[in-house]
Amino acid sequence: MEIGIDKMGFYTPHMYVDMNKLAVARNDEPEKYTIGIGQEKMAVPPITQDAVTLAANAAMEILDEADKEKIDLVIFATESGVDHSKAAAIYAHHLLRLNPRARAIEVKEACYGATAGIQLAKGHISLHPDRKVLVLGSDISRYGLHTPGEVTQGAGAVAILMSANPRVMVLGKESAYHTEDIMDFWRPLYSKTALVQGKYSVEKYNSFFKTVWEDYKKKTGLTLKDFAAICFHLPYTKQGLKALRLVIDEGTAADKERLLAHFEVSKQYNKIVGNIYTGALYLSLLSLLELNTDIEDGARIGLYSYGSGAVGEFFSGILQPNYREYLHVRHHRKMLSERNEVSVQEYEDLFNQELPADGSDIDLPVENDPAPVLLSGIKDHMRMYINKDQS
Ligand code: CAA
């Protein structure tokens, strides 16, 4: 039986800040941000969006009533969760009106969480081929104003519907993975922003890539010539390029040209959204699948997932016949092109807006956010969500 990605949704908030303007405000050269880091725009979330709402907005565009009936497992991957106990998956399950006869759980391992969800989904579907699994990867990336990590922030979510006989991509059974206890990036329970040893995190991302790539080649006998493209976890787009360059000389001139050209396509969405942490690899895959003009059915796509702390994994998938027909390219282009630019001052004000931390109630300005699913406030310590499309 073949198992993999049947549908892919994506959501990012309606506001962004221009990286050239952020560079000027931080007394940096704009080329450092746009070339050295490789980012052009960075998504800015309003206070009415959190990991739950971003994920529900991403899933709403792809699920029909038949999917909702067949989903019996929701796996919500996030490192910006909203509760230490209750799974974000349960809020999403409710907002999406999914079948109550389902399991709903949250998983965490930094930016690797959604990949863990996908691999767990494969196991579940192999036991129950008639069921579907909804994997959500949703995050708001926050390092803090005036920090080196600031240029690698962002916000957004991917929703991946996993099934037997998928229409977009069949995932291979073989996979290479690696875990090591390191402190390259983490967020203690008391902190709203991530702590990071930036250069060390880049080094570990790269060394984990080399480890799992070597293991994958040994396990499968595949080499660069077998891949139409390789997608990377993209905390910022230059990071993926750094990793690709580590192995590119293993290929012929034609392999190099093909893989570098497709890497350019795979970074287009990420460079105008920013780091969406656990969804970032799948945003890059979406960018590749929706924007390429020459990748045929049957092509193999490599996927490198990295979550600080750290876990890395390399796996791959085969594109299915007419895969383009099952993507939502027009919807995504419209969403990205209709976003509003905010000034650096407005971005800073939005960054500094916070929900009460003392248990008090709040009503949020829902009229300012065009998204269907929103956080409308907090009452008696409970988060209040609304889905405008269902009210
Ligand atoms: N024109 C062109 N390029 C320029 C430039 C200019 N005027 N000025 C600087 N650059 C280049 C630099 O040469 C450098 O390029 P290389 O990396 O290829 O050498 C690049 O711009 C960045 O410059 P710096 O290294 O000086 O930047 P920095 O010290 O401000 O830090 C960073 C960069 C470490 C990535 C920092 O932004 C950071 O800590 N980010 C968060 C951590 C992160 O994203 N780590 C990635 C791996 S971990 C992971 O993937 C998990 C996750 O999601 C967090």
Side-chain angles (χ1 to χ4, degrees):
M1 188 200 346
E2 298 193 308
I3 300 171
I5 298 174
D6 192 50
K7 293 183 181 177
M8 290 180 86
F10 158 57
Y11 182 77
T12 190
H14 68 288
M15 296 180 288
Y16 70 87
V17 66
D18 186 295
M19 299 308 273
N20 292 286
K21 294 178 187 166
L22 185 61
V24 171
R26 298 292 180 257
N27 287 322
D28 279 326
E29 288 173 7
E31 293 76 17
K32 174 177 174 183
Y33 292 21
T34 56
I35 300 168
I37 296 287
Q39 293 301 125
E40 285 177 7
K41 295 175 182 174
M42 186 168 85
V44 176
I47 195 158
T48 41
Q49 292 293 313
D50 64 13
V52 167
T53 60
L54 294 169
N57 284 315
M60 273 179 65
E61 85 182 52
I62 58 165
L63 301 183
D64 59 27
E65 290 309 313
D67 295 327
K68 291 183 185 183
E69 194 47 43
K70 292 218 159 198
I71 292 169
D72 72 344
L73 174 58
V74 183
I75 303 177
F76 196 121
T78 185
E79 54 191 295
S80 36
V82 298
D83 194 288
H84 288 315
S85 173
K86 179 169 174 169
I90 298 180
Y91 293 111
H93 175 277
H94 171 76
L95 287 161
L96 296 166
R97 302 220 168 139
L98 301 182
N99 170 17
R101 288 186 174 64
R103 294 177 177 135
I105 57 163
E106 185 171 315
V107 298
K108 176 171 65 187
E109 182 4 56
C111 305
Y112 172 75
T115 301
I118 282 173
Q119 299 297 356
L120 293 172
K122 276 163 62 186
H124 181 73
I125 294 164
S126 68
L127 287 174
H128 307 284
D130 59 325
R131 311 310 300 172
K132 296 187 179 187
V133 179
L134 179 63
V135 179
L136 301 165
S138 182
D139 276 303
I140 296 175
S141 160
R142 284 169 68 90
Y143 290 88
L145 305 176
H146 302 273
T147 63
E150 182 179 24
V151 292
T152 65
Q153 297 177 147
V158 294
I160 298 169
L161 188 64
M162 296 283 295
S163 75
N165 306 316
R167 287 170 287 184
V168 174
M169 184 186 245
V170 166
L171 293 175
K173 288 196 178 66
E174 285 299 349
S175 193
Y177 32 87
H178 183 76
T179 292
E180 231 177 275
D181 181 5
I182 57 167
M183 296 304 279
D184 59 333
F185 165 104
W186 68 105
R187 184 162 69 86
L189 291 177
Y190 53 79
S191 178
K192 293 200 169 117
T193 50
L195 304 184
V196 63
Q197 306 201 57
K199 298 283 186 304
Y200 180 57
S201 72
V202 171
E203 205 183 289
K204 294 312 278 187
Y205 175 113
N206 288 339
S207 70
F208 270 56
F209 174 59
K210 280 199 287 190
T211 300
V212 293
W213 170 242
E214 288 303 322
D215 284 355
Y216 187 81
K217 283 190 295 180
K218 277 190 206 125
K219 277 185 173 175
T220 61
L222 297 169
T223 62
L224 283 187
K225 72 173 178 353
D226 298 300
F227 294 87
I230 298 178
C231 292
F232 293 84
H233 165 56
L234 293 180
Y236 56 98
T237 67
K238 180 78 169 291
Q239 175 64 81
L241 185 61
K242 280 175 191 276
L244 180 58
R245 282 179 178 156
L246 293 172
V247 300
I248 198 91
D249 287 337
E250 294 174 15
T252 61
D255 294 334
K256 277 188 197 176
E257 193 183 330
R258 179 184 71 256
L259 293 170
L260 287 169
H262 288 154
F263 176 76
E264 281 301 305
V265 184
S266 74
K267 73 178 197 189
Q268 296 304 315
Y269 285 172
N270 304 70
K271 86 173 178 196
I272 57 170
V273 170
N275 191 1
I276 62 166
Y277 285 162
T278 187
L281 165 61
Y282 302 96
L283 180 58
S284 175
L285 175 62
L286 204 56
S287 182
L288 178 78
L289 300 188
E290 294 191 347
L291 304 183
N292 89 83
T293 52
D294 62 345
I295 303 183
E296 305 292 338
D297 305 349
R300 182 181 293 278
I301 310 296
L303 297 153
Y304 173 55
S305 182
Y306 178 77
S308 289
V311 181
E313 179 155 350
F314 191 91
F315 58 114
S316 72
I318 302 290
L319 294 177
Q320 294 304 288
N322 306 316
Y323 70 90
R324 285 189 179 84
E325 285 176 24
Y326 306 105
L327 300 169
H328 295 239
V329 58
R330 263 184 303 185
H331 178 78
H332 295 144
R333 279 196 183 152
K334 186 166 179 291
M335 177 172 65
L336 290 166
S337 67
E338 286 179 354
R339 293 184 299 168
N340 305 324
E341 182 180 344
V342 293
S343 66
V344 173
Q345 183 61 58
E346 286 166 320
Y347 144 69
E348 291 181 355
D349 293 344
L350 285 158
F351 188 94
N352 287 327
Q353 271 182 20
E354 285 187 0
L355 294 170
D358 61 356
S360 52
D361 292 352
I362 187 169
D363 286 322
L364 296 174
V366 292
E367 61 285 355
N368 297 340
D369 186 342
V373 181
L374 303 159
L375 177 69
S376 62
I378 297 183
K379 194 169 181 334
D380 300 332
H381 305 276
M382 290 180 264
R383 290 170 102 88
M384 301 286 131
Y385 290 107
I386 52 171
N387 184 342
K388 288 185 214 156
D389 285 4
Q390 286 172 356
S391 52

